Amino acid sequence: MRNNYLFAGCLALAITALAGVRSMAPSAPAGADPWWKHAVIYEIYPRSFQDSNGDGIGDLNGITRRLDYLQELGVDAIWIAPIYPSPQVDFGYDISDYENIDPKYGTLADFDRLLAEATKRNIRVLMDAVMNHTSDKHPWFIESASSRTNPKADWYIWRNGKGPGKPPNNWLSTFGHSAWQYNPKRDQYYYHYFYIQQPDLNWRNFEVETAMINMLRFWLDKGVIGFRLDAVPTLFEDPTLQNEETLAGKNKFGDPNQETKLQENLPEVHGVIRRMRAMINTYPGDRVLVGETYLPNVTELDKWYGGAKHDELELPMDMQVGFEPKLDAHEFRQRINDAETKIHGNQPLFVFDNHDNPRTAFRYGDGVHNTAIDKMLAAILFTTRSTAMMYYGDEIEMPTTPPTSKDQVRDPIGITGWPKEKGRDGERTPMQWNASTSAGFSTNPRTWLPVAPDYKQVNVEIESKDPNSMLNWYKS
Ligand code: GLC
Ligand code: CA
């Protein structure tokens, strides 16, 4: 049973957080009022939303089947995490063909049908654009790795080592250990900010930019409304390859803590973003670029809009609010106020949850008032001027269910970092639709990740009948 007294207390906290926020800055560009300023964007992790063929993995036809549900919920756009052919080392973020669909998820014809059915319901579709790296199985990388002289030799970041077994510098992968991998054919190292199987593209080679822009056009021509640009601050690295500064202590992978100033958020990236924006502006229908922009502060965030020029991303994600470490009204007010006053009247995009972080109750909950806290955070998300971005399952208060032993882990960082880093499986469990087999996610009792144990009480069917449920809170 929910505690309404405590809930009222938390709502008061939300109101306190909002009360200090100053009046709206003028919105830009003048006169324009595109759909995305009033939108709810719903992130779908496709492996976990709805399985249609009983293999225990979600797919495109499954998403199509659930579009009526999303329409009723009030969703204006869905962002689908990567569905392209991929060896699935990083569950789709390692792409081996940018212009096709992984057979696990369906076909291009299934995609076209999904897009057409979504359009009928006034739901727009955003693709996930992974621009920083490809899979090591992408034909571009296979060619690039084959010699020092092939036509794509310079499409990735190749460097000589400092001697036998010695990488070019101390740079670390954010997924653990050295960011350099030796390749005997070239007798050189390639750079990977993420997994070894995700080599970074060389964005200083204009052929790379051209190929990527053409890839975006392929999907825009099909009618997608835009993109969520994956890990986009990582496109460029400092060419001098100086070492990053080492800090005190060790990280979850046992590596020394280090700065990432030479590996992330270099100013050159803004030129690419401006060219991308100019390209999407040639398409009709208010296309949009959303950015996965984890940044140190609001001043850096403002740059991703193009500041007063408004010529870069329409919606770089504001990670300052939703990933604020403490549940503290003063801190929340400060961050919301920043978004109102320090981004040149651009449109904020708040986000509290995604497929890379434990869900809010896990991060902010105290185990007693979790539901009240989640309702309060939803109130902030949906009542501020910000565009709202939510993650599948938030609307039913799906739990975070991390693996309890190393042999259960599917996400490779959870294997490298166990037990300090358990990986991201906990926030990627199958959607809980009802109390039947596999929570109605699949007819298969064995799903790619186990269904969270609370699915008999926490599911769409039960919550739609309960006026006090999270689902009805989200709807209202
Ligand atoms: C982004 C994605 C994450 C992925 C990484 C590498 O941060 O959200 O899931 O592992 O990029 O592509
Ligand atoms: Ca399936």
Side-chain angles (χ1 to χ4, degrees), residues 184-203:
K185 251 194 207 147
R186 288 184 58 140
D187 186 25
Q188 281 185 318
Y189 288 80
Y190 68 83
Y191 176 74
H192 59 91
Y193 188 69
F194 297 95
Y195 292 124
I196 290 170
Q197 299 88 342
Q198 292 170 304
D200 274 49
L201 284 159
N202 176 15
W203 278 84

Side-chain angles (χ1 to χ4, degrees), residues 51-59 104:
D51 176 20
S52 73
N53 64 356
D55 65 356
I57 300 174
D59 45 53
K104 288 225 158 18

Side-chain angles (χ1 to χ4, degrees), residues 204-219:
R204 292 198 176 87
N205 182 334
F206 199 67
E207 288 174 22
V208 167
E209 181 175 321
T210 308
M212 280 306 197
I213 295 261
N214 288 341
M215 174 278 282
L216 298 180
R217 286 182 175 281
F218 173 86
W219 294 102

Side-chain angles (χ1 to χ4, degrees), residues 212-250:
M212 280 306 197
I213 295 261
N214 288 341
M215 174 278 282
L216 298 180
R217 286 182 175 281
F218 173 86
W219 294 102
L220 290 168
D221 290 340
K222 278 195 172 293
V224 308
I225 201 72
F227 303 93
R228 173 263 189 190
L229 303 175
D230 180 68
V232 66
T234 61
L235 297 195
F236 288 87
E237 301 73 36
D238 190 300
T240 67
L241 293 199
Q242 292 171 67
N243 278 341
E244 288 279 11
E245 191 185 325
T246 305
L247 308 166
K250 297 222 153 141

Side-chain angles (χ1 to χ4, degrees), residues 30-31 34 52 66 76 86 99 116 130 136 168 184 257 279 281 290 298 336 344 382 435 450 457:
S52 73
R66 294 295 185 180
D76 300 288
S86 160
E99 297 182 5
V130 184
D136 63 342
N257 285 325
M279 184 276 288
N281 282 353
V290 175
V298 68
I336 296 167
H344 287 95
F382 294 110
Q457 296 80 47

Side-chain angles (χ1 to χ4, degrees), residues 402-460:
T404 50
S405 65
K406 190 174 171 181
D407 60 301
Q408 295 172 1
V409 178
R410 303 294 309 272
D411 181 18
I413 57 171
I415 298 167
T416 318
W418 190 269
K420 286 190 180 145
E421 168 62 71
K422 295 195 165 94
R424 299 162 292 181
D425 297 346
E427 55 268 21
R428 298 175 174 179
T429 57
M431 178 68 177
Q432 296 166 203
W433 297 101
N434 57 45
S436 73
T437 305
S438 292
F441 161 71
S442 176
T443 51
N444 194 326
R446 288 185 47 191
T447 51
W448 83 279
L449 278 178
V451 173
D454 68 359
Y455 75 96
K456 292 215 164 127
Q457 296 80 47
V458 176
N459 65 56
V460 170

